[in-house]
Amino acid sequence: MLIFQILLSVIALVLLVAALIDGAWTLALIAAMMLLIALTGVFVAYRREQHLGRR
């Protein structure tokens, strides 16, 4: 689960950088929101794996 979330974060980051280079501000805003959601997913998945590892 954590690897999948990290992959989504990388994809969103690449999309954000490409949109900023291209000057597509609407796409950059959408990519920034995607990145925020993906990084939240990374945090949740990391915490879940830590919690499951303690049991």
Side-chain angles (χ1 to χ4, degrees):
M1 188 68 155
L2 182 61
I3 293 174
F4 180 69
Q5 292 294 332
I6 291 173
L7 181 64
L8 284 177
S9 297
V10 169
I11 291 170
L13 184 62
V14 168
L15 183 62
L16 177 63
V17 170
L20 288 174
I21 289 173
D22 190 41
W25 296 107
T26 305
L27 184 60
L29 181 63
I30 293 169
M33 288 187 285
M34 281 177 53
L35 184 60
L36 181 67
I37 292 168
L39 289 176
T40 303
V42 168
F43 177 72
V44 169
Y46 178 73
R47 294 279 304 217
R48 183 176 294 151
E49 284 191 8
Q50 271 191 338
H51 182 69
L52 291 176
R54 289 187 195 156
R55 287 184 183 177

